[in-house]
Amino acid sequence: KNQVEQSPQSLIILEGKNCTLQCNYTVSPFSNLRWYKQDTGRGPVSLTIMTFSENTKSNGRYTATLDADTKQSSLHITASQLSDSASYICVVRATSYGKLTFGQGTILTVHP
Amino acid sequence: NAGVTQTPKFRVLKTGQSMTLLCAQDMNHEYMYWYRQDPGMGLRLIHYSVGEGTTAKGEVPDGYNVSRLKKQNFLLGLESAAPSQTSVYFCASSYSGTGSGYTFGSGTRLTVV
């Protein structure tokens, strides 16, 4: 069964600190992996999309890494801001036209 | 830039009542999707459409029906609401089946009492 597991479930950090969120998946065959940010009461918004051949992709202070061999991805947030408080969702697509499998999300809270 | 618009944003239903959720996109996307999001779980696909006049079942289709009479609109219907359908519903659209341009609406919070 295709699954996406994220850790930790929730995380609290102080403003200005860095953090790393983890995503492990069993989706096969793999097409791409996406990280989304979901603010409270809003829909998910795409941060990065990574294919099999990409190891790292950045979007401002967000850097995603992918290890397709171990089926792991991470999202690193640098110099966190209060506006980074949100749920971060890892999503994996199986094959080019396969459905998306969503992780349960990591809830990040940034305190001043 | 409206993107994907969902109406209503909030709704409370009594068990057995019916309602329709509307999703509208202005990006000329072919593919549209309905998901539900429950606490502690990832988004789950209810139904989807690969073009005007087409619909298909997703992961959790029971208790829901959909229609795509116009390319820009995708309707989700609950014929007889049950408390188990209390959830946040998200509509999404994409340009193609590969997921390019995948865009979500802001959600509809539905409570069935």
Side-chain angles (χ1 to χ4, degrees), chain A residues 64-77:
Chain A
T65 64
L66 173 65
D67 185 334
D69 291 331
T70 61
K71 298 186 176 182
Q72 296 179 325
S73 176
S74 65
L75 180 69
H76 186 75
I77 304 174

Side-chain angles (χ1 to χ4, degrees), chain A residues 34 36 38 41-44 89 93 96-97 99-100 102-104, chain B residues 31 35 37 40-43 59 90 97-99 102 104-106:
Chain A
R34 307 154 185 245
Y36 283 86
Q38 184 177 18
R42 308 292 295 174
I89 304 172
R93 175 181 288 273
S96 295
Y97 290 89
K99 78 177 187 75
L100 302 180
F102 290 76
Q104 79 277 24
Chain B
Y31 289 66
Y35 291 91
Q37 186 176 40
M41 300 181 69
L43 274 77
E59 194 180 350
F90 287 99
T98 61
Y102 216 100
F104 284 89
S106 58

